[in-house]
Every structure is written in C-alpha cells, then in structure tokens.
Amino acid sequence: MPSIDIHRPHRLPLPEARAVVEKVAARMHEKFDLEGRWQGDTLYFSRPGVNGQIAVGADAIRVRADLGLLLSPLKGMIEQEIRRKLDEHFA
C-alpha cells in the first residue's frame, strides 16, 4: 500500500495552525468526501481508498496517508497537491 509522509515546519501559534487544518479539512470533505475527526491535535481522515492523519504540532505539521490500490497511480499528484496546500497555508 503506497503511503505519503510529509513534514512541514510552520511559525503559526498552535490554535491558528489547527484552525488552518480545520479549514483545509472542510475543503477536503467538500471536494473529496473525506470524513475527519479530531483526537487531540491530530485530525484523522478517511474515505474508501485512503486514510491518514494530519498532526498539528507547535512548530510543524505532519501529513500521513495510506492510499489504496485505486489511488496508487495518483500518489505523485496527490502528494504534489498536499505540498502545494501546505506551502499556501504554512509558508
């Protein structure tokens, strides 16, 4: 099962970083029907074909995702989009 693991430092206060992730999660739900739930400062998300988490730390964001067989060929594109969104919100 292909996986994505991206670590990105940030300089936002933790509540602001978490609010940004919440905003991105709402967009992911709207666009990809991803369901998410918070446990502490980690957002766990899933839908058929993908599950993962976004951990919000005091100085870094870490995105991990496991892709199912159908999404495997799109790994590069998905990873590129995640990096783009992280750059957009946390650069």
Side-chain angles (χ1 to χ4, degrees), residues 55-90:
V56 181
D59 61 357
I61 300 289
R62 185 164 191 183
V63 179
R64 295 185 206 173
D66 293 318
L67 306 177
L69 283 173
L70 292 177
L71 293 178
S72 295
L74 302 175
K75 179 186 180 227
M77 184 179 75
I78 293 168
E79 195 165 10
Q80 182 178 11
E81 180 65 12
I82 292 169
R83 289 182 190 282
R84 188 180 73 74
K85 285 294 184 188
L86 289 173
D87 287 346
E88 183 181 313
H89 294 288
F90 294 102

PDB file of all heavy atoms in Angstrom, residues 55-90:
ATOM      1  N   ALA A  55      -1.181  15.781  11.800  1.00  0.00           N
ATOM      2  CA  ALA A  55      -0.803  16.121  13.171  1.00  0.00           C
ATOM      3  C   ALA A  55      -0.326  17.561  13.201  1.00  0.00           C
ATOM      4  O   ALA A  55       0.552  17.952  12.430  1.00  0.00           O
ATOM      5  CB  ALA A  55       0.298  15.184  13.662  1.00  0.00           C
ATOM      6  N   VAL A  56      -0.925  18.340  14.090  1.00  0.00           N
ATOM      7  CA  VAL A  56      -0.586  19.753  14.235  1.00  0.00           C
ATOM      8  C   VAL A  56       0.279  19.902  15.477  1.00  0.00           C
ATOM      9  O   VAL A  56      -0.177  19.661  16.591  1.00  0.00           O
ATOM     10  CB  VAL A  56      -1.855  20.620  14.371  1.00  0.00           C
ATOM     11  CG1 VAL A  56      -1.487  22.087  14.483  1.00  0.00           C
ATOM     12  CG2 VAL A  56      -2.806  20.380  13.217  1.00  0.00           C
ATOM     13  N   GLY A  57       1.534  20.278  15.268  1.00  0.00           N
ATOM     14  CA  GLY A  57       2.445  20.497  16.382  1.00  0.00           C
ATOM     15  C   GLY A  57       2.701  21.984  16.577  1.00  0.00           C
ATOM     16  O   GLY A  57       2.286  22.807  15.759  1.00  0.00           O
ATOM     17  N   ALA A  58       3.402  22.316  17.633  1.00  0.00           N
ATOM     18  CA  ALA A  58       3.696  23.710  17.946  1.00  0.00           C
ATOM     19  C   ALA A  58       4.531  24.380  16.858  1.00  0.00           C
ATOM     20  O   ALA A  58       4.421  25.577  16.640  1.00  0.00           O
ATOM     21  CB  ALA A  58       4.419  23.806  19.278  1.00  0.00           C
ATOM     22  N   ASP A  59       5.345  23.584  16.139  1.00  0.00           N
ATOM     23  CA  ASP A  59       6.206  24.171  15.112  1.00  0.00           C
ATOM     24  C   ASP A  59       6.255  23.385  13.810  1.00  0.00           C
ATOM     25  O   ASP A  59       7.081  23.658  12.945  1.00  0.00           O
ATOM     26  CB  ASP A  59       7.622  24.361  15.657  1.00  0.00           C
ATOM     27  CG  ASP A  59       8.264  23.047  16.077  1.00  0.00           C
ATOM     28  OD1 ASP A  59       7.602  21.991  15.994  1.00  0.00           O
ATOM     29  OD2 ASP A  59       9.430  23.078  16.492  1.00  0.00           O
ATOM     30  N   ALA A  60       5.360  22.397  13.664  1.00  0.00           N
ATOM     31  CA  ALA A  60       5.360  21.598  12.438  1.00  0.00           C
ATOM     32  C   ALA A  60       4.003  20.932  12.212  1.00  0.00           C
ATOM     33  O   ALA A  60       3.241  20.702  13.146  1.00  0.00           O
ATOM     34  CB  ALA A  60       6.446  20.526  12.503  1.00  0.00           C
ATOM     35  N   ILE A  61       3.761  20.645  10.949  1.00  0.00           N
ATOM     36  CA  ILE A  61       2.582  19.896  10.524  1.00  0.00           C
ATOM     37  C   ILE A  61       3.103  18.605   9.900  1.00  0.00           C
ATOM     38  O   ILE A  61       4.079  18.633   9.144  1.00  0.00           O
ATOM     39  CB  ILE A  61       1.784  20.669   9.438  1.00  0.00           C
ATOM     40  CG1 ILE A  61       1.311  22.013   9.967  1.00  0.00           C
ATOM     41  CG2 ILE A  61       0.640  19.841   8.885  1.00  0.00           C
ATOM     42  CD1 ILE A  61       0.223  21.940  10.990  1.00  0.00           C
ATOM     43  N   ARG A  62       2.477  17.493  10.197  1.00  0.00           N
ATOM     44  CA  ARG A  62       2.863  16.223   9.575  1.00  0.00           C
ATOM     45  C   ARG A  62       1.625  15.575   8.978  1.00  0.00           C
ATOM     46  O   ARG A  62       0.632  15.371   9.673  1.00  0.00           O
ATOM     47  CB  ARG A  62       3.508  15.298  10.575  1.00  0.00           C
ATOM     48  CG  ARG A  62       4.020  14.036   9.911  1.00  0.00           C
ATOM     49  CD  ARG A  62       4.969  13.311  10.779  1.00  0.00           C
ATOM     50  NE  ARG A  62       5.638  12.263  10.029  1.00  0.00           N
ATOM     51  CZ  ARG A  62       6.485  11.439  10.566  1.00  0.00           C
ATOM     52  NH1 ARG A  62       6.769  11.534  11.844  1.00  0.00           N
ATOM     53  NH2 ARG A  62       7.046  10.508   9.835  1.00  0.00           N
ATOM     54  N   VAL A  63       1.710  15.284   7.692  1.00  0.00           N
ATOM     55  CA  VAL A  63       0.613  14.641   6.971  1.00  0.00           C
ATOM     56  C   VAL A  63       1.055  13.235   6.608  1.00  0.00           C
ATOM     57  O   VAL A  63       2.111  13.047   6.002  1.00  0.00           O
ATOM     58  CB  VAL A  63       0.255  15.418   5.683  1.00  0.00           C
ATOM     59  CG1 VAL A  63      -0.878  14.721   4.944  1.00  0.00           C
ATOM     60  CG2 VAL A  63      -0.091  16.863   5.990  1.00  0.00           C
ATOM     61  N   ARG A  64       0.250  12.268   6.994  1.00  0.00           N
ATOM     62  CA  ARG A  64       0.491  10.872   6.631  1.00  0.00           C
ATOM     63  C   ARG A  64      -0.783  10.330   6.013  1.00  0.00           C
ATOM     64  O   ARG A  64      -1.878  10.601   6.502  1.00  0.00           O
ATOM     65  CB  ARG A  64       0.831  10.034   7.854  1.00  0.00           C
ATOM     66  CG  ARG A  64       2.113  10.403   8.512  1.00  0.00           C
ATOM     67  CD  ARG A  64       2.388   9.423   9.618  1.00  0.00           C
ATOM     68  NE  ARG A  64       3.224  10.048  10.623  1.00  0.00           N
ATOM     69  CZ  ARG A  64       3.524   9.487  11.772  1.00  0.00           C
ATOM     70  NH1 ARG A  64       3.032   8.318  12.090  1.00  0.00           N
ATOM     71  NH2 ARG A  64       4.300  10.107  12.625  1.00  0.00           N
ATOM     72  N   ALA A  65      -0.621   9.554   4.949  1.00  0.00           N
ATOM     73  CA  ALA A  65      -1.792   8.950   4.306  1.00  0.00           C
ATOM     74  C   ALA A  65      -1.395   7.627   3.671  1.00  0.00           C
ATOM     75  O   ALA A  65      -0.302   7.491   3.113  1.00  0.00           O
ATOM     76  CB  ALA A  65      -2.362   9.874   3.242  1.00  0.00           C
ATOM     77  N   ASP A  66      -2.278   6.663   3.777  1.00  0.00           N
ATOM     78  CA  ASP A  66      -2.125   5.381   3.099  1.00  0.00           C
ATOM     79  C   ASP A  66      -3.149   5.339   1.976  1.00  0.00           C
ATOM     80  O   ASP A  66      -4.337   5.591   2.204  1.00  0.00           O
ATOM     81  CB  ASP A  66      -2.359   4.216   4.065  1.00  0.00           C
ATOM     82  CG  ASP A  66      -1.278   4.144   5.132  1.00  0.00           C
ATOM     83  OD1 ASP A  66      -0.093   4.339   4.782  1.00  0.00           O
ATOM     84  OD2 ASP A  66      -1.610   3.890   6.303  1.00  0.00           O
ATOM     85  N   LEU A  67      -2.670   5.030   0.778  1.00  0.00           N
ATOM     86  CA  LEU A  67      -3.536   5.005  -0.405  1.00  0.00           C
ATOM     87  C   LEU A  67      -3.854   3.573  -0.786  1.00  0.00           C
ATOM     88  O   LEU A  67      -2.981   2.704  -0.768  1.00  0.00           O
ATOM     89  CB  LEU A  67      -2.838   5.701  -1.577  1.00  0.00           C
ATOM     90  CG  LEU A  67      -2.344   7.122  -1.335  1.00  0.00           C
ATOM     91  CD1 LEU A  67      -1.606   7.634  -2.562  1.00  0.00           C
ATOM     92  CD2 LEU A  67      -3.485   8.033  -0.973  1.00  0.00           C
ATOM     93  N   GLY A  68      -5.090   3.340  -1.165  1.00  0.00           N
ATOM     94  CA  GLY A  68      -5.500   2.032  -1.646  1.00  0.00           C
ATOM     95  C   GLY A  68      -5.052   1.820  -3.087  1.00  0.00           C
ATOM     96  O   GLY A  68      -4.473   2.705  -3.727  1.00  0.00           O
ATOM     97  N   LEU A  69      -5.328   0.649  -3.592  1.00  0.00           N
ATOM     98  CA  LEU A  69      -4.897   0.284  -4.944  1.00  0.00           C
ATOM     99  C   LEU A  69      -5.382   1.234  -6.024  1.00  0.00           C
ATOM    100  O   LEU A  69      -4.632   1.578  -6.935  1.00  0.00           O
ATOM    101  CB  LEU A  69      -5.360  -1.133  -5.273  1.00  0.00           C
ATOM    102  CG  LEU A  69      -4.537  -2.247  -4.644  1.00  0.00           C
ATOM    103  CD1 LEU A  69      -5.188  -3.599  -4.896  1.00  0.00           C
ATOM    104  CD2 LEU A  69      -3.119  -2.232  -5.180  1.00  0.00           C
ATOM    105  N   LEU A  70      -6.619   1.663  -5.940  1.00  0.00           N
ATOM    106  CA  LEU A  70      -7.158   2.530  -6.992  1.00  0.00           C
ATOM    107  C   LEU A  70      -6.492   3.905  -7.022  1.00  0.00           C
ATOM    108  O   LEU A  70      -6.386   4.521  -8.078  1.00  0.00           O
ATOM    109  CB  LEU A  70      -8.668   2.685  -6.837  1.00  0.00           C
ATOM    110  CG  LEU A  70      -9.493   1.424  -7.103  1.00  0.00           C
ATOM    111  CD1 LEU A  70     -10.963   1.689  -6.835  1.00  0.00           C
ATOM    112  CD2 LEU A  70      -9.283   0.937  -8.521  1.00  0.00           C
ATOM    113  N   LEU A  71      -6.033   4.389  -5.875  1.00  0.00           N
ATOM    114  CA  LEU A  71      -5.391   5.703  -5.824  1.00  0.00           C
ATOM    115  C   LEU A  71      -3.872   5.632  -5.973  1.00  0.00           C
ATOM    116  O   LEU A  71      -3.220   6.663  -6.126  1.00  0.00           O
ATOM    117  CB  LEU A  71      -5.747   6.423  -4.527  1.00  0.00           C
ATOM    118  CG  LEU A  71      -7.203   6.832  -4.388  1.00  0.00           C
ATOM    119  CD1 LEU A  71      -7.448   7.486  -3.039  1.00  0.00           C
ATOM    120  CD2 LEU A  71      -7.615   7.767  -5.509  1.00  0.00           C
ATOM    121  N   SER A  72      -3.323   4.441  -5.956  1.00  0.00           N
ATOM    122  CA  SER A  72      -1.873   4.275  -6.069  1.00  0.00           C
ATOM    123  C   SER A  72      -1.271   5.002  -7.266  1.00  0.00           C
ATOM    124  O   SER A  72      -0.252   5.680  -7.125  1.00  0.00           O
ATOM    125  CB  SER A  72      -1.500   2.789  -6.132  1.00  0.00           C
ATOM    126  OG  SER A  72      -1.834   2.167  -4.932  1.00  0.00           O
ATOM    127  N   PRO A  73      -1.860   4.892  -8.464  1.00  0.00           N
ATOM    128  CA  PRO A  73      -1.273   5.582  -9.610  1.00  0.00           C
ATOM    129  C   PRO A  73      -1.297   7.109  -9.477  1.00  0.00           C
ATOM    130  O   PRO A  73      -0.560   7.803 -10.167  1.00  0.00           O
ATOM    131  CB  PRO A  73      -2.149   5.152 -10.786  1.00  0.00           C
ATOM    132  CG  PRO A  73      -2.857   3.935 -10.336  1.00  0.00           C
ATOM    133  CD  PRO A  73      -2.986   4.049  -8.848  1.00  0.00           C
ATOM    134  N   LEU A  74      -2.118   7.631  -8.581  1.00  0.00           N
ATOM    135  CA  LEU A  74      -2.240   9.082  -8.402  1.00  0.00           C
ATOM    136  C   LEU A  74      -1.389   9.613  -7.245  1.00  0.00           C
ATOM    137  O   LEU A  74      -1.473  10.787  -6.909  1.00  0.00           O
ATOM    138  CB  LEU A  74      -3.704   9.446  -8.150  1.00  0.00           C
ATOM    139  CG  LEU A  74      -4.689   9.024  -9.244  1.00  0.00           C
ATOM    140  CD1 LEU A  74      -6.102   9.345  -8.813  1.00  0.00           C
ATOM    141  CD2 LEU A  74      -4.354   9.687 -10.559  1.00  0.00           C
ATOM    142  N   LYS A  75      -0.553   8.758  -6.666  1.00  0.00           N
ATOM    143  CA  LYS A  75       0.230   9.154  -5.490  1.00  0.00           C
ATOM    144  C   LYS A  75       1.010  10.446  -5.740  1.00  0.00           C
ATOM    145  O   LYS A  75       0.980  11.365  -4.929  1.00  0.00           O
ATOM    146  CB  LYS A  75       1.180   8.047  -5.070  1.00  0.00           C
ATOM    147  CG  LYS A  75       2.013   8.445  -3.865  1.00  0.00           C
ATOM    148  CD  LYS A  75       3.058   7.411  -3.527  1.00  0.00           C
ATOM    149  CE  LYS A  75       3.822   7.900  -2.311  1.00  0.00           C
ATOM    150  NZ  LYS A  75       5.227   7.809  -2.409  1.00  0.00           N
ATOM    151  N   GLY A  76       1.727  10.533  -6.831  1.00  0.00           N
ATOM    152  CA  GLY A  76       2.530  11.719  -7.128  1.00  0.00           C
ATOM    153  C   GLY A  76       1.693  12.981  -7.197  1.00  0.00           C
ATOM    154  O   GLY A  76       2.066  14.015  -6.638  1.00  0.00           O
ATOM    155  N   MET A  77       0.565  12.896  -7.858  1.00  0.00           N
ATOM    156  CA  MET A  77      -0.313  14.047  -7.997  1.00  0.00           C
ATOM    157  C   MET A  77      -0.911  14.450  -6.641  1.00  0.00           C
ATOM    158  O   MET A  77      -0.974  15.631  -6.304  1.00  0.00           O
ATOM    159  CB  MET A  77      -1.441  13.736  -8.990  1.00  0.00           C
ATOM    160  CG  MET A  77      -2.337  14.923  -9.270  1.00  0.00           C
ATOM    161  SD  MET A  77      -3.637  14.541 -10.445  1.00  0.00           S
ATOM    162  CE  MET A  77      -4.742  13.588  -9.404  1.00  0.00           C
ATOM    163  N   ILE A  78      -1.314  13.463  -5.849  1.00  0.00           N
ATOM    164  CA  ILE A  78      -1.886  13.734  -4.526  1.00  0.00           C
ATOM    165  C   ILE A  78      -0.832  14.372  -3.625  1.00  0.00           C
ATOM    166  O   ILE A  78      -1.086  15.366  -2.948  1.00  0.00           O
ATOM    167  CB  ILE A  78      -2.444  12.439  -3.900  1.00  0.00           C
ATOM    168  CG1 ILE A  78      -3.652  11.947  -4.707  1.00  0.00           C
ATOM    169  CG2 ILE A  78      -2.814  12.654  -2.432  1.00  0.00           C
ATOM    170  CD1 ILE A  78      -4.099  10.546  -4.362  1.00  0.00           C
ATOM    171  N   GLU A  79       0.363  13.821  -3.639  1.00  0.00           N
ATOM    172  CA  GLU A  79       1.442  14.353  -2.816  1.00  0.00           C
ATOM    173  C   GLU A  79       1.794  15.787  -3.231  1.00  0.00           C
ATOM    174  O   GLU A  79       1.995  16.661  -2.389  1.00  0.00           O
ATOM    175  CB  GLU A  79       2.668  13.447  -2.940  1.00  0.00           C
ATOM    176  CG  GLU A  79       3.691  13.679  -1.888  1.00  0.00           C
ATOM    177  CD  GLU A  79       4.707  12.553  -1.820  1.00  0.00           C
ATOM    178  OE1 GLU A  79       4.735  11.672  -2.698  1.00  0.00           O
ATOM    179  OE2 GLU A  79       5.499  12.572  -0.873  1.00  0.00           O
ATOM    180  N   GLN A  80       1.818  16.045  -4.514  1.00  0.00           N
ATOM    181  CA  GLN A  80       2.101  17.387  -5.021  1.00  0.00           C
ATOM    182  C   GLN A  80       1.034  18.383  -4.555  1.00  0.00           C
ATOM    183  O   GLN A  80       1.346  19.501  -4.149  1.00  0.00           O
ATOM    184  CB  GLN A  80       2.172  17.361  -6.541  1.00  0.00           C
ATOM    185  CG  GLN A  80       2.505  18.698  -7.159  1.00  0.00           C
ATOM    186  CD  GLN A  80       2.597  18.597  -8.683  1.00  0.00           C
ATOM    187  OE1 GLN A  80       2.219  17.600  -9.298  1.00  0.00           O
ATOM    188  NE2 GLN A  80       3.093  19.647  -9.290  1.00  0.00           N
ATOM    189  N   GLU A  81      -0.228  17.970  -4.583  1.00  0.00           N
ATOM    190  CA  GLU A  81      -1.318  18.850  -4.149  1.00  0.00           C
ATOM    191  C   GLU A  81      -1.224  19.127  -2.648  1.00  0.00           C
ATOM    192  O   GLU A  81      -1.449  20.253  -2.197  1.00  0.00           O
ATOM    193  CB  GLU A  81      -2.671  18.222  -4.499  1.00  0.00           C
ATOM    194  CG  GLU A  81      -3.860  19.055  -4.094  1.00  0.00           C
ATOM    195  CD  GLU A  81      -3.976  20.392  -4.831  1.00  0.00           C
ATOM    196  OE1 GLU A  81      -3.273  20.618  -5.835  1.00  0.00           O
ATOM    197  OE2 GLU A  81      -4.783  21.232  -4.378  1.00  0.00           O
ATOM    198  N   ILE A  82      -0.883  18.121  -1.856  1.00  0.00           N
ATOM    199  CA  ILE A  82      -0.722  18.323  -0.408  1.00  0.00           C
ATOM    200  C   ILE A  82       0.405  19.319  -0.147  1.00  0.00           C
ATOM    201  O   ILE A  82       0.260  20.250   0.639  1.00  0.00           O
ATOM    202  CB  ILE A  82      -0.440  16.990   0.308  1.00  0.00           C
ATOM    203  CG1 ILE A  82      -1.679  16.092   0.255  1.00  0.00           C
ATOM    204  CG2 ILE A  82      -0.018  17.237   1.761  1.00  0.00           C
ATOM    205  CD1 ILE A  82      -1.428  14.664   0.695  1.00  0.00           C
ATOM    206  N   ARG A  83       1.529  19.150  -0.833  1.00  0.00           N
ATOM    207  CA  ARG A  83       2.659  20.067  -0.656  1.00  0.00           C
ATOM    208  C   ARG A  83       2.274  21.501  -1.061  1.00  0.00           C
ATOM    209  O   ARG A  83       2.639  22.465  -0.390  1.00  0.00           O
ATOM    210  CB  ARG A  83       3.863  19.601  -1.461  1.00  0.00           C
ATOM    211  CG  ARG A  83       4.513  18.359  -0.892  1.00  0.00           C
ATOM    212  CD  ARG A  83       5.752  17.951  -1.689  1.00  0.00           C
ATOM    213  NE  ARG A  83       6.238  16.658  -1.298  1.00  0.00           N
ATOM    214  CZ  ARG A  83       6.953  16.413  -0.207  1.00  0.00           C
ATOM    215  NH1 ARG A  83       7.267  17.407   0.604  1.00  0.00           N
ATOM    216  NH2 ARG A  83       7.351  15.191   0.077  1.00  0.00           N
ATOM    217  N   ARG A  84       1.520  21.613  -2.129  1.00  0.00           N
ATOM    218  CA  ARG A  84       1.082  22.933  -2.588  1.00  0.00           C
ATOM    219  C   ARG A  84       0.211  23.604  -1.530  1.00  0.00           C
ATOM    220  O   ARG A  84       0.371  24.791  -1.222  1.00  0.00           O
ATOM    221  CB  ARG A  84       0.333  22.816  -3.912  1.00  0.00           C
ATOM    222  CG  ARG A  84       0.006  24.168  -4.550  1.00  0.00           C
ATOM    223  CD  ARG A  84      -0.734  24.002  -5.874  1.00  0.00           C
ATOM    224  NE  ARG A  84      -2.105  23.577  -5.694  1.00  0.00           N
ATOM    225  CZ  ARG A  84      -3.099  24.355  -5.248  1.00  0.00           C
ATOM    226  NH1 ARG A  84      -2.860  25.605  -4.922  1.00  0.00           N
ATOM    227  NH2 ARG A  84      -4.317  23.890  -5.128  1.00  0.00           N
ATOM    228  N   LYS A  85      -0.729  22.852  -0.964  1.00  0.00           N
ATOM    229  CA  LYS A  85      -1.608  23.407   0.073  1.00  0.00           C
ATOM    230  C   LYS A  85      -0.816  23.773   1.329  1.00  0.00           C
ATOM    231  O   LYS A  85      -1.086  24.803   1.951  1.00  0.00           O
ATOM    232  CB  LYS A  85      -2.724  22.419   0.432  1.00  0.00           C
ATOM    233  CG  LYS A  85      -3.803  22.333  -0.603  1.00  0.00           C
ATOM    234  CD  LYS A  85      -4.540  23.635  -0.682  1.00  0.00           C
ATOM    235  CE  LYS A  85      -5.694  23.558  -1.632  1.00  0.00           C
ATOM    236  NZ  LYS A  85      -6.302  24.871  -1.857  1.00  0.00           N
ATOM    237  N   LEU A  86       0.150  22.948   1.701  1.00  0.00           N
ATOM    238  CA  LEU A  86       0.972  23.272   2.857  1.00  0.00           C
ATOM    239  C   LEU A  86       1.765  24.541   2.614  1.00  0.00           C
ATOM    240  O   LEU A  86       1.876  25.409   3.481  1.00  0.00           O
ATOM    241  CB  LEU A  86       1.908  22.101   3.200  1.00  0.00           C
ATOM    242  CG  LEU A  86       1.236  20.878   3.796  1.00  0.00           C
ATOM    243  CD1 LEU A  86       2.247  19.735   3.916  1.00  0.00           C
ATOM    244  CD2 LEU A  86       0.608  21.174   5.147  1.00  0.00           C
ATOM    245  N   ASP A  87       2.317  24.681   1.402  1.00  0.00           N
ATOM    246  CA  ASP A  87       3.049  25.901   1.060  1.00  0.00           C
ATOM    247  C   ASP A  87       2.126  27.124   1.106  1.00  0.00           C
ATOM    248  O   ASP A  87       2.504  28.179   1.596  1.00  0.00           O
ATOM    249  CB  ASP A  87       3.657  25.792  -0.344  1.00  0.00           C
ATOM    250  CG  ASP A  87       4.827  24.861  -0.416  1.00  0.00           C
ATOM    251  OD1 ASP A  87       5.362  24.481   0.662  1.00  0.00           O
ATOM    252  OD2 ASP A  87       5.224  24.477  -1.530  1.00  0.00           O
ATOM    253  N   GLU A  88       0.928  26.942   0.605  1.00  0.00           N
ATOM    254  CA  GLU A  88      -0.046  28.039   0.556  1.00  0.00           C
ATOM    255  C   GLU A  88      -0.421  28.530   1.951  1.00  0.00           C
ATOM    256  O   GLU A  88      -0.548  29.735   2.180  1.00  0.00           O
ATOM    257  CB  GLU A  88      -1.283  27.536  -0.178  1.00  0.00           C
ATOM    258  CG  GLU A  88      -2.380  28.542  -0.383  1.00  0.00           C
ATOM    259  CD  GLU A  88      -3.573  27.916  -1.116  1.00  0.00           C
ATOM    260  OE1 GLU A  88      -3.349  27.219  -2.134  1.00  0.00           O
ATOM    261  OE2 GLU A  88      -4.687  28.123  -0.652  1.00  0.00           O
ATOM    262  N   HIS A  89      -0.573  27.598   2.888  1.00  0.00           N
ATOM    263  CA  HIS A  89      -1.074  27.960   4.218  1.00  0.00           C
ATOM    264  C   HIS A  89       0.002  28.092   5.289  1.00  0.00           C
ATOM    265  O   HIS A  89      -0.231  28.757   6.296  1.00  0.00           O
ATOM    266  CB  HIS A  89      -2.116  26.945   4.678  1.00  0.00           C
ATOM    267  CG  HIS A  89      -3.354  26.960   3.854  1.00  0.00           C
ATOM    268  ND1 HIS A  89      -4.270  27.972   3.919  1.00  0.00           N
ATOM    269  CD2 HIS A  89      -3.828  26.084   2.931  1.00  0.00           C
ATOM    270  CE1 HIS A  89      -5.272  27.730   3.067  1.00  0.00           C
ATOM    271  NE2 HIS A  89      -5.009  26.593   2.458  1.00  0.00           N
ATOM    272  N   PHE A  90       1.156  27.458   5.090  1.00  0.00           N
ATOM    273  CA  PHE A  90       2.159  27.436   6.145  1.00  0.00           C
ATOM    274  C   PHE A  90       3.532  27.948   5.725  1.00  0.00           C
ATOM    275  O   PHE A  90       4.488  27.813   6.461  1.00  0.00           O
ATOM    276  CB  PHE A  90       2.305  26.024   6.716  1.00  0.00           C
ATOM    277  CG  PHE A  90       1.083  25.553   7.439  1.00  0.00           C
ATOM    278  CD1 PHE A  90       0.194  24.673   6.830  1.00  0.00           C
ATOM    279  CD2 PHE A  90       0.790  26.021   8.703  1.00  0.00           C
ATOM    280  CE1 PHE A  90      -0.937  24.245   7.497  1.00  0.00           C
ATOM    281  CE2 PHE A  90      -0.343  25.601   9.367  1.00  0.00           C
ATOM    282  CZ  PHE A  90      -1.215  24.717   8.758  1.00  0.00           C
TER     283      PHE A  90
END
